[in-house]
Amino acid sequence: MRVVMFGYQTWGHRTLQALLDSEHDVVLVVTHPKSEHAYEKIWSDSVADLAEENDVPVVIRNRPDDDELFERLKEADPDIIVANNWRTWIPPRIFDLPRHGTLNVHDSLLPKYAGFSPLIWALINGEPEVGVTAHMMNDELDAGDIVRQEAVTVGPTDTATDLFHKTVDLIAPVTIGALDLIASGQTEFTKQDRSQASFFHKRSIEDSRIDWTWPAEDLERLVRAQSEPYPSAFTFHKGRRLEVLAAVVSEGRYGGTPGRIFYREGEGVVIVAGADARTGRNHGLAITRVRTEDGRELPATEHFTAMGGYLTNQP
């Protein structure tokens, strides 16, 4: 099939590479300009560079809603558009243009976690699985019929970075498998159960701020979700910003005021966290590694030289 690809960053790069390695013919690539947004500089392999290295024409757009692009797409005469990590709305006159419509590849197990940063949100929320879904695009975001979907298990110590590497390897089999089904003439796919749908917004630095009223189990997942190279989870100690790079749920149960610097346990320093209403347990978060405001990275036991005092949500 003749394919036009809409894509950006490493997800789009992997999709384009899979298409180039397949029997399908990539006739045009549309991608975004580089961004300085904290999350959009991560996993920033260039789709444009890969296309140009393979003599595929490239169009760069923030939004695909102008007449010039529409004419370029008509001239390309695609059988299908494949989109992955396209960051803005694609209008119906474009996603309906190809003979087989538009296939969107999304890094979640739809209908759950439509929208942005699904791996991070899924890890924070304690989901047992994450994955990749290829679905037909319609006029509702990430809501079209599912063509192919694959899942991987979230391990007990997995970070968002680990989940990225697990799921990015699913792009090629999910995308090419879906295209092969469409090319074979299949037109009936799996309807999404919209009663199970959820939608999440883009992550921002504010979303990494630690709220010590959360249960320790939730805070531990937040720290794993904000693993390098993502912006780290942070709090404030003596009025200065402190990034929490690694932490575990304490073995002991510690009650008291959330944020209290309370006890040394193993290689960590226990901070009192909120009670978990689901389990009735009140563990602390044992911080093991931190980064200070001046960029020093060190064990928490070296930073917290004495117990007492508080970690706070504000300076």
Side-chain angles (χ1 to χ4, degrees):
M1 288 196 296
R2 291 172 61 83
V3 179
V4 168
M5 203 208 86
F6 281 61
Y8 185 52
Q9 296 179 297
T10 299
W11 279 87
H13 188 279
R14 287 291 187 94
T15 303
L16 178 56
Q17 187 64 66
L19 291 168
L20 293 169
D21 292 341
S22 75
E23 64 182 18
H24 303 289
D25 183 18
V26 183
V27 295
L28 182 68
V29 164
V30 185
T31 189
H32 294 301
K34 291 182 180 180
S35 170
E36 291 303 310
H37 186 281
Y39 281 84
E40 293 191 357
K41 291 190 293 185
I42 301 169
W43 316 120
S44 57
D45 295 297
S46 173
V47 172
D49 289 351
L50 180 59
E52 289 167 356
E53 289 164 9
N54 287 273
D55 298 320
V56 178
V58 177
V59 177
I60 296 177
R61 290 289 191 278
N62 277 312
R63 296 183 178 277
D65 53 6
D66 60 276
D67 290 338
E68 180 185 353
L69 174 59
F70 185 63
E71 291 303 317
R72 288 287 300 272
L73 292 170
K74 287 199 297 184
E75 291 169 6
D77 190 29
D79 295 302
I80 195 165
I81 291 173
V82 174
N84 191 343
N85 200 36
W86 184 261
R87 312 298 280 177
T88 57
W89 181 65
I90 297 176
R93 73 166 180 166
I94 288 181
F95 68 67
D96 283 337
L97 176 65
R99 283 174 281 279
H100 294 288
T102 294
L103 181 77
N104 186 51
V105 183
H106 183 69
D107 50 333
S108 84
L109 296 174
L110 294 174
K112 295 182 178 180
Y113 296 93
F116 301 91
S117 303
L119 295 178
I120 295 177
W121 288 113
L123 179 53
I124 290 171
N125 291 337
E127 298 292 348
E129 290 183 321
V130 293
V132 174
T133 302
H135 70 94
M136 301 309 300
M137 187 175 288
N138 60 20
D139 56 5
E140 187 176 352
L141 185 63
D142 296 333
D145 293 356
I146 294 171
V147 182
R148 181 163 176 170
Q149 184 177 79
E150 291 195 21
V152 292
T153 301
V154 178
T157 61
D158 276 345
T159 64
T161 306
D162 296 328
L163 298 182
F164 169 84
H165 289 297
K166 284 183 178 183
T167 53
V168 79
D169 289 338
L170 299 178
I171 289 175
V174 169
T175 304
I176 304 306
L179 284 179
D180 290 346
L181 286 174
I182 294 166
S184 73
Q186 186 167 334
T187 58
E188 296 296 323
F189 303 110
T190 303
K191 299 288 184 185
Q192 292 194 38
D193 180 357
R194 303 308 295 158
S195 69
Q196 299 299 309
S198 57
F199 182 87
F200 287 82
H201 60 72
K202 288 182 181 180
R203 299 287 294 178
S204 70
I205 297 300
E206 181 62 28
D207 295 314
S208 303
R209 185 190 301 264
I210 292 174
D211 182 343
W212 291 104
T213 65
W214 286 19
E217 291 85 352
D218 294 356
L219 292 175
E220 186 268 344
R221 291 197 303 273
L222 174 64
V223 172
R224 285 193 282 129
Q226 297 298 152
S227 59
E228 294 284 355
Y230 298 102
S232 301
F234 69 95
T235 186
F236 293 91
H237 182 221
K238 296 181 178 179
R240 295 183 177 274
R241 181 187 171 105
L242 183 70
E243 296 180 19
V244 178
L245 305 181
V248 296
V249 177
S250 68
E251 294 180 4
R253 295 173 64 177
Y254 303 92
T257 306
R260 179 75 169 179
I261 305 165
F262 189 41
Y263 192 77
R264 290 193 178 186
E265 182 183 275
E267 297 180 354
V269 175
V270 174
I271 313 300
V272 176
D276 191 334
R278 296 162 295 188
T279 65
R281 294 192 297 270
N282 191 355
H283 289 276
L285 185 72
I287 298 175
T288 57
R289 197 154 190 84
V290 299
R291 183 185 293 122
T292 59
E293 201 169 57
D294 59 5
R296 291 182 303 122
E297 187 176 324
L298 67 163
T301 51
E302 292 184 17
H303 177 76
F304 299 106
T305 56
M307 298 300 97
Y310 291 88
L311 297 182
T312 60
N313 300 346
Q314 302 290 337

